[in-house]
Short mmCIF file of all heavy atoms in Angstrom, two decimals:
data_model
loop_
_atom_site.label_atom_id
_atom_site.label_comp_id
_atom_site.label_asym_id
_atom_site.label_seq_id
_atom_site.Cartn_x
_atom_site.Cartn_y
_atom_site.Cartn_z
N VAL A 1 -0.46 1.56 11.30
CA VAL A 1 -1.34 0.99 12.38
C VAL A 1 -1.12 1.86 13.68
O VAL A 1 0.02 2.06 14.05
CB VAL A 1 -1.03 -0.45 12.55
CG1 VAL A 1 -1.92 -1.07 13.63
CG2 VAL A 1 -1.15 -1.33 11.25
N ARG A 2 -2.26 2.26 14.32
CA ARG A 2 -2.14 2.83 15.52
C ARG A 2 -1.97 1.90 16.70
O ARG A 2 -2.63 0.90 16.75
CB ARG A 2 -3.45 3.71 15.87
CG ARG A 2 -3.36 4.39 17.19
CD ARG A 2 -4.64 5.18 17.41
NE ARG A 2 -4.84 6.29 16.55
CZ ARG A 2 -4.32 7.56 16.77
NH1 ARG A 2 -3.73 7.80 17.86
NH2 ARG A 2 -4.52 8.46 15.83
N ASP A 3 -0.91 2.11 17.48
CA ASP A 3 -0.58 1.30 18.60
C ASP A 3 -0.55 2.19 19.87
O ASP A 3 0.58 2.72 20.08
CB ASP A 3 0.71 0.53 18.38
CG ASP A 3 1.10 -0.36 19.63
OD1 ASP A 3 0.24 -0.64 20.45
OD2 ASP A 3 2.22 -0.89 19.70
N GLY A 4 -1.65 2.34 20.54
CA GLY A 4 -1.69 3.39 21.67
C GLY A 4 -1.57 4.74 21.04
O GLY A 4 -2.40 5.12 20.20
N ASP A 5 -0.43 5.53 21.47
CA ASP A 5 -0.21 6.74 20.86
C ASP A 5 0.71 6.68 19.79
O ASP A 5 1.11 7.78 19.21
CB ASP A 5 0.26 7.68 22.03
CG ASP A 5 -0.80 7.96 23.07
OD1 ASP A 5 -1.97 7.96 22.82
OD2 ASP A 5 -0.35 8.10 24.24
N ARG A 6 1.20 5.51 19.41
CA ARG A 6 2.22 5.48 18.30
C ARG A 6 1.60 5.04 17.02
O ARG A 6 0.64 4.32 17.02
CB ARG A 6 3.20 4.49 18.77
CG ARG A 6 3.91 4.75 20.08
CD ARG A 6 4.90 3.68 20.53
NE ARG A 6 6.07 3.70 19.76
CZ ARG A 6 6.62 2.61 19.19
NH1 ARG A 6 6.05 1.39 19.24
NH2 ARG A 6 7.72 2.75 18.48
N LEU A 7 2.22 5.49 15.92
CA LEU A 7 1.83 5.03 14.54
C LEU A 7 3.00 4.16 13.95
O LEU A 7 4.12 4.68 13.88
CB LEU A 7 1.60 6.33 13.63
CG LEU A 7 0.37 7.14 13.96
CD1 LEU A 7 0.31 8.33 12.95
CD2 LEU A 7 -0.92 6.38 13.98
N ILE A 8 2.67 2.88 13.68
CA ILE A 8 3.65 2.03 13.27
C ILE A 8 3.39 1.66 11.78
O ILE A 8 2.39 1.33 11.34
CB ILE A 8 3.64 0.74 14.09
CG1 ILE A 8 3.69 0.99 15.66
CG2 ILE A 8 4.63 -0.33 13.72
CD1 ILE A 8 4.92 1.67 16.01
N GLY A 9 4.52 1.68 11.08
CA GLY A 9 4.48 1.34 9.66
C GLY A 9 4.63 -0.13 9.31
O GLY A 9 5.51 -0.81 9.86
N GLU A 10 3.71 -0.60 8.56
CA GLU A 10 3.71 -1.96 8.04
C GLU A 10 3.79 -1.97 6.55
O GLU A 10 3.58 -1.01 5.89
CB GLU A 10 2.48 -2.66 8.46
CG GLU A 10 2.30 -2.94 9.98
CD GLU A 10 2.87 -4.33 10.41
OE1 GLU A 10 3.42 -5.04 9.57
OE2 GLU A 10 2.77 -4.52 11.66
N ASN A 11 4.09 -3.19 5.98
CA ASN A 11 4.02 -3.30 4.50
C ASN A 11 3.19 -4.53 4.24
O ASN A 11 3.72 -5.71 4.48
CB ASN A 11 5.39 -3.34 3.80
CG ASN A 11 5.29 -3.13 2.42
OD1 ASN A 11 4.63 -3.89 1.74
ND2 ASN A 11 5.94 -2.19 1.73
N THR A 12 1.95 -4.35 3.75
CA THR A 12 1.14 -5.50 3.45
C THR A 12 1.15 -6.00 2.03
O THR A 12 0.46 -6.89 1.62
CB THR A 12 -0.38 -5.16 3.89
OG1 THR A 12 -0.78 -4.07 3.03
CG2 THR A 12 -0.49 -4.72 5.39
N ASP A 13 1.94 -5.32 1.14
CA ASP A 13 2.01 -5.70 -0.17
C ASP A 13 2.55 -7.19 -0.25
O ASP A 13 1.87 -7.98 -0.91
CB ASP A 13 3.06 -4.77 -1.00
CG ASP A 13 2.45 -3.41 -1.28
OD1 ASP A 13 1.20 -3.29 -1.40
OD2 ASP A 13 3.14 -2.46 -1.48
N GLY A 14 3.65 -7.36 0.39
CA GLY A 14 4.26 -8.71 0.40
C GLY A 14 3.49 -9.73 1.25
O GLY A 14 3.35 -10.86 0.87
N LYS A 15 2.94 -9.18 2.28
CA LYS A 15 2.13 -10.05 3.22
C LYS A 15 0.88 -10.58 2.49
O LYS A 15 0.39 -11.75 2.71
CB LYS A 15 1.78 -9.36 4.49
CG LYS A 15 2.91 -9.16 5.52
CD LYS A 15 2.47 -8.41 6.76
CE LYS A 15 3.44 -8.49 7.81
NZ LYS A 15 4.66 -7.69 7.48
N GLY A 16 0.29 -9.63 1.68
CA GLY A 16 -0.96 -10.10 0.90
C GLY A 16 -0.61 -11.12 -0.04
O GLY A 16 -1.36 -12.16 -0.23
N PHE A 17 0.53 -10.96 -0.72
CA PHE A 17 0.93 -11.96 -1.70
C PHE A 17 1.17 -13.34 -0.92
O PHE A 17 0.85 -14.40 -1.31
CB PHE A 17 2.17 -11.61 -2.46
CG PHE A 17 2.82 -12.67 -3.36
CD1 PHE A 17 2.04 -12.93 -4.59
CD2 PHE A 17 3.78 -13.44 -2.98
CE1 PHE A 17 2.59 -13.96 -5.39
CE2 PHE A 17 4.24 -14.49 -3.70
CZ PHE A 17 3.67 -14.74 -4.92
N LEU A 18 1.94 -13.19 0.12
CA LEU A 18 2.25 -14.42 0.94
C LEU A 18 1.05 -15.12 1.40
O LEU A 18 1.07 -16.40 1.34
CB LEU A 18 3.14 -14.05 2.10
CG LEU A 18 4.13 -15.04 2.63
CD1 LEU A 18 5.17 -15.44 1.54
CD2 LEU A 18 4.88 -14.60 3.91
N SER A 19 0.10 -14.44 1.84
CA SER A 19 -1.17 -15.05 2.33
C SER A 19 -1.89 -15.72 1.16
O SER A 19 -2.35 -16.96 1.35
CB SER A 19 -2.02 -14.09 2.98
OG SER A 19 -1.51 -13.53 4.17
N SER A 20 -1.97 -15.09 0.01
CA SER A 20 -2.68 -15.80 -1.13
C SER A 20 -1.88 -17.00 -1.55
O SER A 20 -2.44 -17.99 -1.90
CB SER A 20 -2.91 -14.71 -2.29
OG SER A 20 -1.58 -14.27 -2.68
N LEU A 21 -0.59 -16.82 -1.62
CA LEU A 21 0.29 -18.01 -1.96
C LEU A 21 0.04 -19.16 -0.94
O LEU A 21 -0.04 -20.38 -1.30
CB LEU A 21 1.71 -17.64 -2.07
CG LEU A 21 2.72 -18.73 -2.18
CD1 LEU A 21 2.67 -19.43 -3.61
CD2 LEU A 21 4.14 -18.21 -2.06
N GLY A 22 0.04 -18.86 0.33
CA GLY A 22 -0.04 -19.90 1.40
C GLY A 22 -1.24 -20.61 1.29
O GLY A 22 -1.40 -21.75 1.90
N ARG A 23 -2.29 -20.17 0.61
CA ARG A 23 -3.56 -21.08 0.50
C ARG A 23 -3.36 -22.23 -0.46
O ARG A 23 -4.20 -23.12 -0.37
CB ARG A 23 -4.69 -20.08 -0.04
CG ARG A 23 -5.06 -19.03 1.01
CD ARG A 23 -6.31 -18.23 0.62
NE ARG A 23 -6.56 -17.15 1.54
CZ ARG A 23 -7.30 -17.40 2.64
NH1 ARG A 23 -7.69 -18.56 2.98
NH2 ARG A 23 -7.51 -16.38 3.47
N ILE A 24 -2.34 -22.13 -1.26
CA ILE A 24 -2.03 -23.36 -2.12
C ILE A 24 -0.63 -23.88 -1.97
O ILE A 24 -0.36 -25.01 -2.48
CB ILE A 24 -2.34 -22.99 -3.52
CG1 ILE A 24 -1.39 -21.83 -4.09
CG2 ILE A 24 -3.81 -22.60 -3.75
CD1 ILE A 24 -1.57 -21.66 -5.60
N GLU A 25 0.33 -23.12 -1.47
CA GLU A 25 1.72 -23.61 -1.46
C GLU A 25 2.46 -22.86 -0.34
O GLU A 25 2.36 -21.61 -0.32
CB GLU A 25 2.28 -23.38 -2.84
CG GLU A 25 3.76 -23.98 -2.94
CD GLU A 25 3.81 -25.49 -2.83
OE1 GLU A 25 3.95 -26.01 -1.72
OE2 GLU A 25 3.79 -26.08 -3.91
N SER A 26 3.26 -23.50 0.35
CA SER A 26 4.21 -22.92 1.30
C SER A 26 5.47 -22.40 0.55
O SER A 26 5.97 -23.22 -0.32
CB SER A 26 4.65 -23.88 2.42
OG SER A 26 5.77 -23.37 3.17
N PRO A 27 6.00 -21.24 0.78
CA PRO A 27 7.22 -20.77 0.17
C PRO A 27 8.45 -21.35 0.77
O PRO A 27 9.58 -21.27 0.15
CB PRO A 27 7.17 -19.27 0.29
CG PRO A 27 6.41 -19.05 1.60
CD PRO A 27 5.46 -20.20 1.71
N ALA A 28 8.38 -21.99 1.99
CA ALA A 28 9.55 -22.58 2.54
C ALA A 28 10.39 -23.54 1.77
O ALA A 28 9.79 -24.56 1.06
CB ALA A 28 9.14 -23.25 3.94
N GLY A 29 11.63 -23.22 1.55
CA GLY A 29 12.55 -24.15 0.79
C GLY A 29 12.28 -23.99 -0.75
O GLY A 29 13.03 -24.73 -1.55
N LYS A 30 11.44 -23.12 -1.24
CA LYS A 30 11.15 -22.98 -2.64
C LYS A 30 12.11 -22.08 -3.41
O LYS A 30 12.77 -21.26 -2.85
CB LYS A 30 9.73 -22.49 -2.79
CG LYS A 30 8.70 -23.46 -2.25
CD LYS A 30 8.71 -24.82 -2.89
CE LYS A 30 7.47 -25.72 -2.43
NZ LYS A 30 7.47 -26.00 -0.99
N ARG A 31 12.12 -22.37 -4.72
CA ARG A 31 12.96 -21.49 -5.69
C ARG A 31 11.99 -20.65 -6.49
O ARG A 31 11.19 -21.13 -7.15
CB ARG A 31 13.87 -22.43 -6.43
CG ARG A 31 14.94 -23.08 -5.76
CD ARG A 31 15.32 -24.37 -6.33
NE ARG A 31 14.16 -25.34 -6.26
CZ ARG A 31 14.19 -26.71 -6.46
NH1 ARG A 31 15.31 -27.18 -6.96
NH2 ARG A 31 13.16 -27.45 -6.50
N VAL A 32 12.16 -19.31 -6.34
CA VAL A 32 11.20 -18.34 -6.93
C VAL A 32 11.88 -17.50 -7.91
O VAL A 32 13.01 -17.11 -7.79
CB VAL A 32 10.68 -17.48 -5.69
CG1 VAL A 32 9.54 -16.59 -6.27
CG2 VAL A 32 10.20 -18.30 -4.58
N VAL A 33 11.16 -17.20 -9.00
CA VAL A 33 11.56 -16.27 -10.05
C VAL A 33 10.51 -15.09 -10.09
O VAL A 33 9.27 -15.41 -10.20
CB VAL A 33 11.69 -16.95 -11.44
CG1 VAL A 33 11.99 -15.78 -12.53
CG2 VAL A 33 12.69 -18.03 -11.45
N VAL A 34 10.95 -13.89 -9.92
CA VAL A 34 10.17 -12.73 -9.86
C VAL A 34 10.55 -11.82 -11.01
O VAL A 34 11.79 -11.48 -11.15
CB VAL A 34 10.27 -12.01 -8.51
CG1 VAL A 34 9.41 -10.72 -8.47
CG2 VAL A 34 9.93 -12.84 -7.35
N PHE A 35 9.59 -11.35 -11.86
CA PHE A 35 9.88 -10.52 -12.82
C PHE A 35 9.53 -9.05 -12.47
O PHE A 35 8.38 -8.86 -11.94
CB PHE A 35 8.97 -10.88 -14.11
CG PHE A 35 9.33 -12.10 -14.76
CD1 PHE A 35 8.78 -13.30 -14.48
CD2 PHE A 35 10.42 -12.21 -15.73
CE1 PHE A 35 9.07 -14.56 -14.92
CE2 PHE A 35 10.84 -13.41 -16.31
CZ PHE A 35 10.13 -14.59 -15.82
N GLY A 36 10.36 -8.23 -12.61
CA GLY A 36 10.27 -6.71 -12.20
C GLY A 36 11.06 -6.45 -11.00
O GLY A 36 11.42 -7.33 -10.20
#
């Protein structure tokens, strides 16, 4: 992302997942199993 004259690195892989999850469930306090 350009911020003025600076280029800042983000990671939207996890943010995209978090947003899609947030439409049906909050991850706060949850126990998660991830394969891979």
Side-chain angles (χ1 to χ4, degrees):
V1 182
R2 181 181 290 274
D3 180 12
D5 294 329
R6 305 174 73 228
L7 294 180
I8 305 300
E10 293 269 2
N11 194 304
T12 63
D13 285 333
K15 286 183 170 64
F17 173 79
L18 205 63
S19 294
S20 60
L21 173 65
R23 294 187 182 279
I24 62 172
E25 183 69 271
S26 168
K30 299 299 190 297
R31 291 149 297 189
V32 187
V33 173
V34 177
F35 293 95

